[in-house]
Amino acid sequence: MYTVSVRDHMMIAHSFKGEVFGPAQRLHGATYVVDVEFRRHDLDPDGIVVDIGRAGETLRRVVAELSYRNLDEVPGFTGHNTTTEFLAKWVFDNIRSAILRDELGPGARAVESLRVTLHESHVAWASYEERLRNGS
Amino acid sequence: MYTVSVRDHMMIAHSFKGEVFGPAQRLHGATYVVDVEFRRHDLDPDGIVVDIGRAGETLRRVVAELSYRNLDEVPGFTGHNTTTEFLAKWVFDNIRSAILRDELGPGARAVESLRVTLHESHVAWASYEERLRNGS
Amino acid sequence: MYTVSVRDHMMIAHSFKGEVFGPAQRLHGATYVVDVEFRRHDLDPDGIVVDIGRAGETLRRVVAELSYRNLDEVPGFTGHNTTTEFLAKWVFDNIRSAILRDELGPGARAVESLRVTLHESHVAWASYEERLRNGS
Amino acid sequence: MYTVSVRDHMMIAHSFKGEVFGPAQRLHGATYVVDVEFRRHDLDPDGIVVDIGRAGETLRRVVAELSYRNLDEVPGFTGHNTTTEFLAKWVFDNIRSAILRDELGPGARAVESLRVTLHESHVAWASYEERLRNGS
Amino acid sequence: MYTVSVRDHMMIAHSFKGEVFGPAQRLHGATYVVDVEFRRHDLDPDGIVVDIGRAGETLRRVVAELSYRNLDEVPGFTGHNTTTEFLAKWVFDNIRSAILRDELGPGARAVESLRVTLHESHVAWASYEERLRNGS
Amino acid sequence: MYTVSVRDHMMIAHSFKGEVFGPAQRLHGATYVVDVEFRRHDLDPDGIVVDIGRAGETLRRVVAELSYRNLDEVPGFTGHNTTTEFLAKWVFDNIRSAILRDELGPGARAVESLRVTLHESHVAWASYEERLRNGS
């Protein structure tokens, strides 16, 4: 299995609902350093997993959707705690959609799975990983 | 698959038995930066893998058992080389026990597997990972 | 010159006023990984710059004052942009005050200067440094 | 599953063929920080995955083969783009060969799989992983 | 003293002349992770050292001049070994020039000194620092 | 001012005397990741601060003197707490001595000052810096 990973970041505000969150129930914020790992069993004819330039641009576009926003006011997140885990899945979904509409080039359709990791501090991080389709 | 990871550290002395260890057969020591990754397929109703506050407290309690100790004198380790690999398994066992006695909250029982990584320097680290029970 | 440094972090929400900030004029947030460097020319009789345990506790108390808060609503910050630079100075001021009221032990009065660094992402950080008193 | 990882690095020049590479079609270069993860289900009688001293020496020997070279002129790479992914596989192949000829000691034959990661910058890295033989 | 730092990177090929360089006399290459620290004694009315957005864009433009190039063929470098130290000074000179022609905004003229650090691997880095003008 | 830095590490056991150390009065240990920064105002004719190969070899030799040792039994340390600060000074003294007896080559005599940093964990580090002679 081959992988390629790219990194970017986003800075957001949010609050959580539920006693388990303690002081994080208050409006606060986070910097998420976001890593996306693309995985496939074979390299393409150019010798790559994915066009790393396009991968980086797609990740930049995805994090820009949330960057400098209060996630409590983002319509699609109503009723959800935008935890690090939840946001890892949200980034995953957006990168998968970009692959499926060929934003990373037709070759990227051979990517079999993704792992998205969000680092929230030097002592905590979360990730989401999944295969991209049934057949792979 | 979702994951959440937390980090802490411990500083210990020990020595190894066996020619393979060369100069590390002498009494020496190490700082271990310890990462614990908790894994499960679905988030709980709060949108989390595990209560990260409790996870951090449990990890702190576990590393405190060995912190500032000479492992050559810890009764449970008699007859074992307390290598980085061995200690990764020891931390794993202690975190698993804490989960099973609900120290991380009843929701943590849904955690399916753990990966524990001990960084011993900027150029070497070791880990242990395993599912928590047969059914998962 | 000897130095000792300790690290902790805080997660906050805020917004900035001024066109120079672009999208960061919106309510957003940040994780700040906070380093405090204590400096003095000679070690104390125990062979240390400062009691690192107390230094860590003081830093934890200082970052806890802002952790999980919306800085736009913190009375003392009214009329200020709580930039990374500004907050580095705020942490500096609080650590200095703690030293001057002997919270880090009487020996810490020999500390001559501090440097506080706040890392806001993997690609940006800011710091503030100053001597603690005229004579040093 | 237990793992042990060691790190080293190499500095090389190369160029790529194919429009997908944009400016990287020009002769340029890279520092690769190289991590090799050794994996097996059980520790050996000494309590280790592999002799970490020998593992580090083998990795040093492997990266030395390419260090300070122009990969465009390395005979074995003719007709290939020496991408980060491709080189991760090349390091994998060389470490596997070293294990199979007992360069890491006879115990290393119990290693079941390897993961090799090459970090090319603070925002990009690639890896190759595979089992070492059919039976494992 | 306040500082703000930004990070980017460049990937280049080059060779060195002189026996001291050993195998690095051959054509090879490097990834340089480049940090620029801007320093001044007082914050501007917006509460910043420098417009971090413009600072990042300037750094990106500066490293782009050398990115994906063979430095042995860059006319301005003829007769020089493009060591990490030398390149740190080159980045310094280019950032200083950008400040002096107001590319980072007129406020950036209050920046008093710069420190440029180039990380060439996980075990080696180099820097250049200097005041920007006589009066400061 | 130009600088070049190299990194290595050592793993040691020790204990401290004095109530300020709390549990660290017990025999324990540490991994120290050791950075040495060499500083001078001008580059030599080869375009370097110091022969980085020799600098790395010297650092390796210096840390090897303490590696895998119980510092409580090292004769030269009797009566001293071998704190991180104290050991930073010890490494400084040894690197300075190596420079003065031309172990890093005669050009290294132009090095004006050194900064030695010992990282003891992901949340604590210490350093010692000083000019090498009166005239510089």
Side-chain angles (χ1 to χ4, degrees), chain C residues 15 17 21-22 29 34 40 45 53 57 62 69 77 81 89-90 92 101 105 110 112 114-115 122-123 126 128:
Chain C
S15 63
K17 285 196 164 59
F21 296 105
V34 183
R40 56 189 285 188
E57 287 162 19
V62 168
R69 295 217 173 268
F77 295 156
N81 281 319
K89 174 72 158 59
W90 183 88
F92 173 93
R101 65 172 179 269
E112 297 161 28
L114 298 175
R115 180 180 171 124
H122 65 305
V123 290
Y128 183 75

Side-chain angles (χ1 to χ4, degrees), chain C residues 17-21 81 83-86 88-89 115 120 122-130, chain E residues 1-8 35-37 39 41 43 45-53:
Chain C
K17 285 196 164 59
E19 283 187 23
V20 71
F21 296 105
N81 281 319
T83 59
T84 314
E85 298 92 311
F86 175 90
K89 174 72 158 59
R115 180 180 171 124
E120 71 175 59
H122 65 305
V123 290
W125 54 98
S127 73
Y128 183 75
E129 63 181 285
E130 197 187 310
Chain E
M1 176 70 79
Y2 290 94
T3 77
V4 162
S5 297
V6 293
R7 173 170 286 186
D8 210 318
D35 299 340
V36 181
E37 183 182 75
R39 300 168 172 167
H41 272 85
L43 297 182
D46 287 315
I48 57 177
V49 163
V50 72
D51 179 344
I52 199 172

